[in-house]
Amino acid sequence: MLSRWLSGFFGLNDDFVRPVPGRSWRTDWIIAAVLSLVSVATLMYMRDLSSEMLDYLPVVPSCVAILVAGVLITFRRRFPIGVLLLASGAHFVIVGVALPAVASIGGMQVLYFLGIYTAMAYARNRQSLALGVGLVLFAMVVWLVAADSYARATAPDEFQPTLWYYFGTTVLNFAYFGAAIWLGRQAWLQAKAASELATSRDLVRDQGARLAEQAVVAERLRIARDLHDSVAHHISLIGVQTAAARRTMGSHPEVAAQAMLEVESMSREAVSELRGMLGSLRDVPDEGNGARTIDGLAALADESSVNGLLVSYQLVGEPAEAQTITPMQAGQLLRIAQEAVTNIRRHSTASEARIVVRLGRSIEMEITDNGRPVLSAPGTGLGQVGIRERVAALGGTVELGPRSTVGYRVRVTLPRRIES
């Protein structure tokens, strides 16, 4: 029951990845700078407020601690889990032990709060997020227990903490960490709902376009049937009139002439109807030509660069050589690339993917990414089976597997065949 609740709370089995806004580092830099400046101002104010604080708030170490926290928070949306562990975890504990008065400054508390909130709101790998939050909370508990034990051992008997002290400490920490985690999770859920709504809108639009295309196809089939019936009707009548003219040509030439006039009239009528019907079919939009050429991969890269995944396309070789790729090869390469990009989006934490086509003695396509596998993402493995079957049908070879550094690679090699 607990594991199921944790899975649902952190979204461990959810493949949604919240995209990071463009140029987000600018906003984060400004926020971190403002909070750091407020913390330094508070530090100097507390030093001037009481001479007893001079020993607890040394200027240089305190300013360095504040500056380090501000720099870490600047990268909070780029590396949310790393900032969670370094800023809201390690930095909080180290500064809390060495300079507890600095860690308690309001501006610093907001910086630590942002580290936890941003990790819950933007982390791509939810399993690592749950582990990181657990480590931070465990470190906080250990630090609080150790600090309390030290305070009780060194404080005079008349200043020993009471039950209300422990109650207040517990409530404050629950409110602090609970609010950061809950608000971050709500932000992630809202972004997920907005993404699902946008996906639903795209699906409705695509279905509407597909229904419109099906209606056009149905209308063209109706026209084709009408065309068949019309041509068959006129050809049959022409055959009847021609036979009558042949039989009466010697004995009744005037009847034969009349029959030939009927043949001429029906021929013209048939040609007129044929032109009219074919004219309605002639203005057909050029659908999917890019899917039958290598240029379809560039369009695929542009269409797939959404929801936090940037897909780039590169053609290595002479552009003229790309025109020698057969439509069958181009179509299969496009389908393989589509399957590879879909697998990257579903089964990894990648933020970037590359599609590279190299033209030489053979046709080589390589799709790579910079992500790590999401083990909890559902999958049947049929996508890779389909890739292997497509490549085998064209007499090529395929390599599927993780890269030596980070990410995954799909490499397809096809023999060159120039279409005559």
Side-chain angles (χ1 to χ4, degrees):
M1 182 66 70
L2 179 60
S3 61
R4 184 182 302 176
W5 180 84
L6 289 175
S7 177
F9 185 84
F10 288 98
L12 301 184
N13 297 323
D14 201 310
D15 57 356
F16 168 71
V17 175
R18 184 180 182 182
V20 178
R23 303 181 183 274
S24 59
W25 64 272
R26 292 185 177 180
T27 303
D28 294 338
W29 181 88
I30 295 174
I31 293 175
V34 171
L35 291 174
S36 299
L37 181 61
V38 170
S39 299
V40 171
T42 305
L43 165 71
M44 303 308 296
Y45 170 78
M46 294 174 64
R47 283 176 56 87
D48 290 341
L49 187 64
S50 173
S51 59
E52 297 179 357
M53 299 300 296
L54 297 178
D55 295 333
Y56 297 96
L57 296 171
V59 176
V60 175
S62 299
C63 290
V64 170
I66 294 172
L67 178 62
V68 171
V71 171
L72 289 174
I73 293 300
T74 303
F75 301 96
R76 63 191 181 98
R77 281 189 276 195
R78 182 63 177 170
F79 307 102
I81 298 178
V83 173
L84 167 70
L85 296 175
L86 293 177
S88 302
H91 190 279
F92 197 174
V93 172
I94 293 173
V95 176
V97 172
L99 300 168
V102 176
S104 64
I105 292 176
M108 294 292 290
Q109 291 293 308
V110 176
L111 287 172
Y112 297 139
F113 185 96
L114 286 177
I116 302 173
Y117 166 87
T118 306
M120 289 295 300
Y122 284 95
R124 300 171 62 87
N125 192 322
R126 309 303 287 185
Q127 289 83 2
S128 299
L129 168 67
L131 180 60
V133 171
L135 289 175
V136 170
L137 294 180
F138 178 77
M140 291 300 105
V141 172
V142 173
W143 174 66
L144 288 172
V145 172
D148 176 71
S149 300
Y150 177 80
R152 293 179 61 183
T154 57
D157 294 339
E158 61 271 17
F159 293 104
Q160 290 296 320
T162 64
L163 179 62
W164 286 109
Y165 167 81
Y166 293 110
F167 176 79
T169 301
T170 303
V171 171
L172 287 175
N173 281 278
F174 262 105
Y176 179 85
F177 291 102
I181 293 173
W182 185 80
L183 290 175
R185 176 177 180 267
Q186 291 302 114
W188 183 78
L189 290 176
Q190 290 178 0
K192 176 185 174 183
S195 176
E196 291 176 347
L197 179 60
T199 301
S200 299
R201 289 174 178 172
D202 293 340
L203 180 61
V204 170
R205 184 175 62 251
D206 293 341
Q207 288 179 342
R210 191 175 298 111
L211 290 175
E213 292 174 0
Q214 292 175 354
V216 171
V217 171
E219 179 64 16
R220 295 184 184 281
L221 289 175
R222 185 192 64 80
I223 294 174
R225 288 193 297 269
D226 293 344
L227 179 61
H228 172 270
D229 294 341
S230 175
V231 172
H233 171 72
H234 286 93
I235 292 297
S236 298
L237 292 179
I238 290 174
V240 172
Q241 295 294 340
T242 303
R246 179 178 56 81
R247 290 191 183 98
T248 60
M249 188 175 297
S251 58
H252 300 87
E254 68 281 0
V255 176
Q258 182 62 34
M260 296 307 296
L261 288 176
E262 292 292 335
V263 168
E264 181 182 1
S265 176
M266 284 185 291
S267 299
R268 290 176 178 175
E269 184 178 352
V271 171
S272 178
E273 290 185 8
L274 183 62
R275 287 177 176 174
M277 290 184 178
L278 292 180
S280 64
L281 298 175
R282 188 173 292 120
D283 298 329
V284 179
D286 187 11
E287 299 175 356
N289 284 342
R292 308 299 293 174
T293 67
I294 202 67
D295 295 335
L297 292 172
L300 172 64
D302 293 336
E303 295 171 359
S304 302
S305 297
V306 294
N307 294 334
L309 180 64
L310 178 62
V311 182
S312 61
Y313 168 71
Q314 181 182 5
L315 176 65
V316 180
E318 294 297 330
E321 295 183 7
Q323 305 303 319
T324 64
I325 298 178
T326 67
M328 177 63 73
Q329 290 175 327
Q332 296 293 4
L333 289 176
L334 178 62
R335 298 298 179 266
I336 293 170
Q338 287 175 333
E339 182 64 36
V341 172
T342 300
N343 288 340
I344 291 172
R345 189 176 298 280
R346 290 181 178 176
H347 304 293
S348 79
T349 63
S351 60
E352 296 180 2
R354 294 184 62 203
I355 302 175
V356 180
V357 175
R358 302 181 181 91
L359 302 178
R361 294 185 177 180
S362 61
I363 304 169
E364 179 182 314
M365 182 177 69
E366 187 177 55
I367 302 100
T368 57
D369 63 82
N370 65 344
R372 299 186 182 278
V374 177
L375 301 180
S376 61
T380 61
L382 295 179
Q384 292 191 354
V385 173
I387 291 176
R388 295 183 187 277
E389 290 179 349
R390 292 178 185 276
V391 175
L394 296 176
T397 59
V398 60
E399 299 176 18
L400 301 169
R403 302 167 66 189
S404 59
T405 54
V406 67
Y408 201 84
R409 182 180 70 168
V410 176
R411 183 179 179 183
V412 175
T413 304
L414 301 179
R416 290 297 298 266
R417 289 201 301 271
I418 299 178
E419 188 179 31
S420 59

